[in-house]
Amino acid sequence: MKIGVLALQGDFREHRISLEKLGADVTEVRLPGHLEGLQGLIIPGGESTAIGKLLVAFDLIEPLRAFGQTRAIWGTCAGAILLAKEVGRDQPLIGLMDMEVQRNAFGRQIDSFEMDIPVPFLKPAEQPYRLTFIRGPIITRVWGRAEEVLRLPDGRMIAARQGKLFATSFHPELTDDLRFHEYFLELAKSESTG
Ligand code: GLN
């Protein structure tokens, strides 16, 4: 399995390590040509405005839009923001998912926290997953082809999927639990299109 990790800014190394633990062949993507031959791509957490500017500078916006038409992309935190069509402010976006997010939505005092919740679509599902939030967005709305896949117990939406496109407000790459990365590799292997 050849999987790319967008390596312009943010915690791409942690994603790389998680993917390698699962046996994936990982490429760090910094230029359009690096997307060749990949079955999926992860866009890491970091700062979505900084990553967006670098995407423009390295002419990656259009190649990523084309990539996401047929192949899997998973955005974590800042990566999820970049996949959204609406963020309520002007910043460069890949904009592939029918989804609106609100940045830094958890407020200052609790902008970083962890929470154990069961995630029904992971295997095994009974074992709760420790979700790590670091100034993350919430998903305020999905429409069209995007669907909600996970909410916090208080009802805030924190993960969505649109075919092979996947967005999470939190950071599975910062835990030792590889089930989200396993889930993404399955998505990247699947036949469905984004
Ligand atoms: N607050 C960041 C943003 O708005 C996201 C934070 C993160 O990726 N951990 O882009």
Side-chain angles (χ1 to χ4, degrees):
M1 244 339 214
K2 288 190 79 173
I3 302 289
V5 180
L6 186 71
L8 299 176
Q9 192 264 338
D11 71 341
F12 54 89
R13 282 185 194 84
E14 287 73 8
H15 273 297
R16 179 181 188 129
I17 291 166
S18 299
L19 289 168
E20 282 173 347
K21 281 186 190 159
L22 291 168
D25 178 1
V26 182
T27 301
E28 292 188 359
V29 172
R30 296 189 175 84
L31 294 169
H34 298 162
L35 292 167
E36 223 164 278
L38 302 179
Q39 282 168 281
L41 177 79
I42 294 181
I43 304 176
E47 189 57 43
S48 61
T49 44
I51 299 174
K53 280 183 198 158
L54 293 166
L55 288 176
V56 172
F58 292 103
D59 284 326
L60 272 159
I61 298 268
E62 288 306 327
L64 287 175
R65 285 181 184 154
F67 186 90
Q69 298 303 318
T70 52
R71 283 161 289 177
I73 304 182
W74 174 20
T76 59
C77 207
I81 295 166
L82 288 158
L83 284 177
K85 285 195 174 150
E86 306 275 349
V87 304
R89 51 168 283 175
D90 196 18
Q91 67 179 84
L93 297 172
I94 302 161
L96 281 169
M97 289 183 73
D98 297 334
M99 165 174 96
E100 176 189 71
V101 302
Q102 186 188 346
R103 292 178 59 193
N104 304 321
F106 291 100
R108 263 236 155 101
Q109 62 286 43
I110 51 156
D111 53 10
S112 298
F113 63 99
E114 290 185 329
M115 191 184 278
D116 290 334
I117 71 164
V119 179
F121 55 87
L122 297 182
K123 289 179 210 142
E126 314 78 61
Q127 185 190 329
Y129 197 97
R130 175 150 301 178
L131 304 178
T132 306
F133 293 86
I134 304 169
R135 299 185 67 233
I138 57 174
I139 300 165
T140 40
R141 195 161 63 91
V142 289
W143 67 91
R145 289 180 304 136
E147 51 179 348
E148 153 196 344
V149 292
L150 193 64
R151 281 183 185 264
L152 286 175
D154 67 11
R156 286 180 288 187
M157 201 194 312
I158 51 167
R161 208 187 122 175
Q162 178 177 320
K164 290 192 190 192
L165 306 174
F166 183 44
T168 60
S169 300
F170 47 88
H171 293 273
E173 72 281 13
L174 299 180
T175 68
D176 292 329
D177 190 335
L178 298 173
R179 284 179 292 159
F180 268 98
H181 287 82
E182 254 169 22
Y183 173 80
F184 179 66
L185 292 180
E186 286 302 316
L187 210 57
K189 254 189 255 171
S190 69
E191 292 298 318
S192 80
T193 53

